[in-house]
Amino acid sequence: MRSRPSLLPALTVLFSLALSACAPSHTPLLQPPARSVRPAQTPALDLAGPRPDVILLTVSGRCGPPCRAPRDNHDTLGARGTTDALAAAFTSQGLSVQVAAYASQLPATTQSPAIREPQRGFLALLADVQRIQATWPGPARPRLVLFSHSQGGPWIHYLPRVTPQVTYDLMIDLDAACLFFQTDFSAAVSASAATLNTLLAGQPGVPSACQYQATPKGPRLSKDIVPDNVTLNLEVHSKYRFASPGPGGGLPLNYLADRTPNLRLDGTRRGLHLYVSRQDDHSAISQPSSQTMAWVTMNAGRIAATWK
């Protein structure tokens, strides 16, 4: 009698193949190459060179998908050419301008695998302001202009609070937003606790950049309060309603917009000017071709004419 062939070897092979298919692969996943971010073409801050008439300090907002925020936050205002458009409003009045750009980050320097160039954060901004004051003290100091978009807004409102001895001639904020601020930076605040306690001794902590303060008009988020050491403020809100996009592009329906006009702590709007765009959404307001930036550069130029 012929014996039947055993199925055991075949089953063993199939079981081994199944196990290998379920086992984790050790082949590294391919990552997209890091991309370069073009900086502003306006001359960079040079503390060793001649004194500029104006120093433009910019803080860009939180980056959107597919980038990973806050890890990949970077200088979008410089990359889009928006910083250069604003700088031109001052140079057109015969003023020399230098630029220092910062990402919406806390550490002085960060490095993302998605962005080739290191990005500078709030601690670098704070250190630069202190060095500017030491380099050009007194009446000979340059004019200081703060410029931000979205999540960069809380940082430029927070900076004057913790440097009350410094005068900021102009603050420009485009749709200042606190969305994700606390969750994005809580780990960085904890990791830098010792440094922050030294640098900000006696001053409000970083979380207060997106917390409420009391005013005669009721509580307001700090991003909506302009400290008294800021002389003038140009504030922009993106469109409130469904509307066709303007020259800056964007979407008909705006997904995020600032809705609260800025105030002083005393409840007044002294030196504060608000513009609400009819066309630009939250992203488009930071494009140099936008309706918003046309208003900003026009008014910045008028202000600069009084500085000559």
Side-chain angles (χ1 to χ4, degrees), residues 213-217 225-228 263-268 270:
Q213 292 180 264
T215 79
K217 300 292 181 67
I225 295 175
V226 179
D228 286 340
L263 291 175
R264 300 283 186 181
L265 266 176
D266 62 5
T268 70
R270 173 176 35 88

Side-chain angles (χ1 to χ4, degrees), residues 181-195:
F181 189 92
Q182 304 292 2
T183 53
D184 279 353
F185 304 116
S186 59
V189 169
S190 297
S192 304
T195 300

Side-chain angles (χ1 to χ4, degrees), residues 127-207:
D128 284 347
V129 167
Q130 292 169 340
R131 285 193 289 265
I132 290 167
Q133 290 298 105
T135 304
W136 296 298
R141 68 174 184 83
R143 302 277 185 173
L144 296 182
V145 177
L146 302 173
F147 180 42
S148 73
H149 173 232
S150 191
Q151 199 184 69
W155 293 115
I156 69 162
H157 282 251
Y158 178 62
L159 176 68
R161 291 179 65 197
V162 298
T163 55
Q165 75 284 3
V166 180
T167 296
Y168 300 90
D169 299 273
L170 176 61
M171 171 190 285
I172 303 170
D173 47 326
L174 312 180
D175 249 1
C178 275
L179 189 64
F180 300 119
F181 189 92
Q182 304 292 2
T183 53
D184 279 353
F185 304 116
S186 59
V189 169
S190 297
S192 304
T195 300
L196 292 171
N197 287 339
T198 300
L199 293 176
L200 303 175
Q203 301 296 339
V206 171

